Amino acid sequence: MVRGHIEQRYKTTFTIILDLGRDASGKRKRIAKSFKGSKREAEAEMLRMIAEYEKGQYIKPSRITTAEFLDRWLSTARHAVSPKTAERYADYIKAAVSALGSIRLQELNPIHLEEFYDQLRNSGLSARTILHHHRVLHTALNAAVNYRLLAENPADRAQPPKPEPPEMQILTQEQLAELIWDARNSKYFPLLYLAAYTGMRRGELLALRWQDIDWQTATISIRQTLQQTKDGLFFKEAKNRSSRRRIAISDSTISVLRKHRKDQARERLKHASSYNDQGLVFCQPNGDPLKPDTVSTWFYKFQRSRKKEPCVRFHDLRHTHASLLLLAGWNPKVVQERLGHSSISTTMDIYSHILPSLHQSAAASLDAIIKPMSPDPESDRKK
């Protein structure tokens, strides 16, 4: 049984001592903790420590600061994620260390975290970005709990701001058709066409290789994504089973890709031995990978040159692809699988704005389904 007593050092300073008995060698085991407050508060703290120890929940006091722990955690965690994710982790941890680093890890509490989130908000960051900061901190502090440095995760009780639904602009069928027509003579036309007709992510398009296209079955296998970091470009394996997928492509998409492959072959001959052939479907004239930012910049400038509204992001082609399929009555499960979402709930959450139209269509279709089989109310009244 754990016993404890209190030794008073100064008027409001005490040392709480827990006697844990003796170890195998006969050496006495003790836990000592400084405490500031009244004697009554010190006694309450001693009882709490005894209860925690007997339940196996006691955490040994540590002077490690939040900065020291987060830096150690980052040095390990960055090796378990992609270079792009590691880069984001580093940015988030740098901000957290700047605001919270001097606080002892075991003294970190939800109020500290919420004050940090307020600082981020006041600096102009969006609620969604602040939520990313919170999630990384939560993951790091979970590790501190696992390492027995914390009894509980203070981020569990912190309240980050709730982000608004992601902003997206959806092109109508006519607007998308006009956009594709206006881009027909652009060097990035095949890339834009595939984005619109498949809903693939920008990084997936730029990592696509010719060997991923099955001409006979008219399908594309998505296996990788291209990421751009401060240190350069990286090919990354698709993160999960849903991202690694095979999608069907239309006859017109096949035709666009066949022509693009011929044009690329002619470009390869121009560069001869200097061509860096990586088998990429979309690449620079010398075969090197295209930078994702290059594509987005081109797409923005191209739309400005059209002088037509709306001006959308490249990623909105993916949203348009999904929305048009849902509005056309396609099963959401098919849309989910084409987009590579991990669950159908993710798809429906993102495209909830489509649901009212689908419900109206469903209600209207009931007339055609039920009315022929129902008695005519007018004829009933006449009888």
Side-chain angles (χ1 to χ4, degrees), residues 107-167:
E107 294 175 357
L108 190 66
N109 61 52
I111 295 177
H112 291 135
L113 297 181
E114 291 180 5
E115 289 175 346
F116 170 51
Y117 302 151
D118 284 340
Q119 291 176 26
L120 295 176
R121 185 189 293 108
N122 293 335
S123 71
L125 293 186
S126 68
R128 186 165 299 276
T129 300
I130 297 171
L131 182 60
H132 292 321
H133 279 264
H134 168 77
R135 286 171 174 167
V136 172
L137 267 177
H138 190 280
T139 300
L141 295 173
N142 260 348
V145 174
N146 291 336
Y147 297 153
R148 304 283 293 166
L149 294 173
L150 288 176
E152 63 176 6
N153 188 338
D156 284 341
R157 291 181 285 117
Q159 297 295 322
K162 293 183 179 180
E164 295 294 324
E167 293 184 8

Side-chain angles (χ1 to χ4, degrees), residues 73-88:
W73 175 82
L74 180 62
S75 65
T76 302
R78 68 192 318 157
H79 299 300
V81 296
S82 71
K84 186 67 174 179
T85 301
E87 191 173 87
R88 287 198 296 267

Side-chain angles (χ1 to χ4, degrees), residues 2 45 231 277 326 358:
V2 179
E45 176 65 10
D231 295 326
D277 192 355
L326 289 170
L358 294 179

Side-chain angles (χ1 to χ4, degrees), residues 31-132:
I31 292 176
K33 176 185 177 181
S34 294
F35 182 85
K36 287 186 177 182
S38 67
K39 185 176 181 179
R40 185 183 297 273
E41 290 170 336
E43 290 172 344
E45 176 65 10
M46 179 186 71
L47 294 175
R48 185 192 67 79
M49 290 171 60
I50 291 173
E52 281 188 351
Y53 191 87
E54 291 181 339
K55 292 177 182 179
Q57 299 173 346
Y58 178 74
I59 302 297
K60 184 178 179 181
S62 170
R63 299 181 66 85
I64 185 173
T65 65
T66 300
E68 290 170 334
F69 171 75
L70 290 178
D71 287 340
R72 291 180 195 175
W73 175 82
L74 180 62
S75 65
T76 302
R78 68 192 318 157
H79 299 300
V81 296
S82 71
K84 186 67 174 179
T85 301
E87 191 173 87
R88 287 198 296 267
Y89 277 15
D91 289 340
Y92 297 151
I93 294 302
K94 181 179 180 181
V97 166
S98 176
L100 307 168
S102 60
I103 302 170
R104 285 191 188 178
L105 181 64
Q106 292 182 343
E107 294 175 357
L108 190 66
N109 61 52
I111 295 177
H112 291 135
L113 297 181
E114 291 180 5
E115 289 175 346
F116 170 51
Y117 302 151
D118 284 340
Q119 291 176 26
L120 295 176
R121 185 189 293 108
N122 293 335
S123 71
L125 293 186
S126 68
R128 186 165 299 276
T129 300
I130 297 171
L131 182 60
H132 292 321

Side-chain angles (χ1 to χ4, degrees), residues 206-225:
L206 299 182
L208 187 66
R209 302 179 192 272
W210 290 111
Q211 66 191 38
D212 298 326
I213 301 173
D214 189 323
W215 303 99
Q216 292 188 340
T217 61
T219 57
I220 286 177
S221 294
I222 300 171
R223 300 185 177 95
Q224 285 186 318
T225 185

